């Protein structure tokens, strides 16, 4: 009952702010609510406060004892939602599948798959020396075991 109330309030808040989307939602046995959100343009502290208030101000503390934690998906967190791929276009990703690992720039994100591009040096087909070649890989979302944005400093 309590979980359904929280889920409904969270759903209403995310409906009101369509630029935000849910990454993780858990309620522990001792009523600790943990919500991780992301946004099409990133997440500000104000966005976390908006979601927190939408839940906290609509649950009676006299009736339910709970703690609430609302946070953004961290920069080093794996990508888990298709919308996260779209917001990270043209950024470098590390992608693991069951059989391979890829590192490249996210060139495209569709409803079914992503396209990574990277450059490699290969021997010339004729003659000596090497030439830079652009490689591509199309990877279906269901084949992705883990994908992370590579942070550069």
């Amino acid at each position: 009952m309590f979980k359904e109330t929280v889920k409904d309030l969270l759903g209403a808040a995310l409906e009101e702010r369509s630029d935000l989307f849910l990454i993780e939602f858990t309620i522990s046995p001792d009523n600790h609510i943990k919500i991780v959100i992301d946004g099409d343009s990133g997440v500000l502290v104000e966005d976390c406060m908006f979601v927190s208030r939408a839940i906290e101000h609509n649950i009676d503390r006299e009736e339910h004892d709970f703690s609430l934690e609302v946070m953004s998906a961290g920069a080093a967190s794996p990508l888990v939602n298709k919308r996260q791929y779209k917001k990270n276009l043209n950024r470098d990703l590390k992608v693991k599948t069951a059989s391979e690992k890829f590192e490249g720039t996210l060139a495209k994100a569709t409803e079914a798959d992503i396209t990574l591009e990277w450059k490699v040096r290969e021997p010339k087909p004729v003659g000596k020396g090497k030439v830079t070649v652009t490689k591509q890989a199309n990877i279906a979302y269901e084949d992705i075991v883990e994908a992370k944005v590579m942070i550069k400093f």
Side-chain angles (χ1 to χ4, degrees):
M1 180 82 168
F2 176 68
K3 186 172 185 168
E4 289 304 313
T5 304
V6 175
K7 196 181 275 189
D8 292 344
L9 292 169
L10 177 59
L14 294 177
E15 221 173 270
E16 189 178 327
R17 289 284 309 275
S18 61
D19 61 315
L20 300 176
F21 51 94
L22 185 64
I23 299 298
E24 184 183 338
F25 169 62
T26 57
I27 298 180
S28 69
D30 63 341
N31 283 351
H32 176 74
I33 305 164
K34 180 181 176 187
I35 298 170
V36 181
I37 59 173
D38 204 344
D40 294 327
S41 304
V43 178
L44 301 172
V45 172
E46 289 80 8
D47 299 328
C48 293
M49 288 168 44
F50 169 79
V51 172
S52 177
R53 287 180 179 146
I55 294 167
E56 196 165 2
H57 291 290
N58 291 299
I59 297 177
D60 185 6
R61 285 260 185 206
E62 298 294 321
E63 197 175 318
H64 300 285
D65 182 30
F66 66 94
S67 61
L68 176 63
E69 184 179 14
V70 179
M71 65 187 86
S72 66
S77 299
L79 306 180
V80 295
N81 187 306
K82 290 179 184 180
R83 284 174 73 175
Q84 288 180 295
Y85 289 93
K86 289 182 175 131
K87 86 171 210 175
N88 284 297
L89 283 172
N90 300 316
R91 294 185 77 188
D92 292 337
L93 296 185
K94 274 187 186 180
V95 178
K96 279 188 213 171
T97 65
S99 58
E100 294 181 83
K101 291 181 181 179
F102 300 94
E103 283 188 20
T105 303
L106 181 59
K108 191 167 75 174
T110 66
E111 284 301 308
D113 61 10
I114 62 169
T115 302
L116 287 182
E117 290 183 348
W118 64 96
K119 295 185 186 307
V120 292
R121 300 279 292 160
E122 291 184 346
K124 287 183 180 178
V126 178
K128 293 183 177 181
K130 292 189 175 192
V131 63
T132 302
V133 180
T134 301
K135 298 273 188 169
Q136 267 191 353
N138 288 337
I139 307 165
Y141 290 113
E142 60 264 13
D143 294 339
I144 296 172
V145 174
E146 183 180 75
K148 287 186 174 184
V149 174
M150 294 169 42
I151 301 167
K152 295 180 180 177
F153 295 98

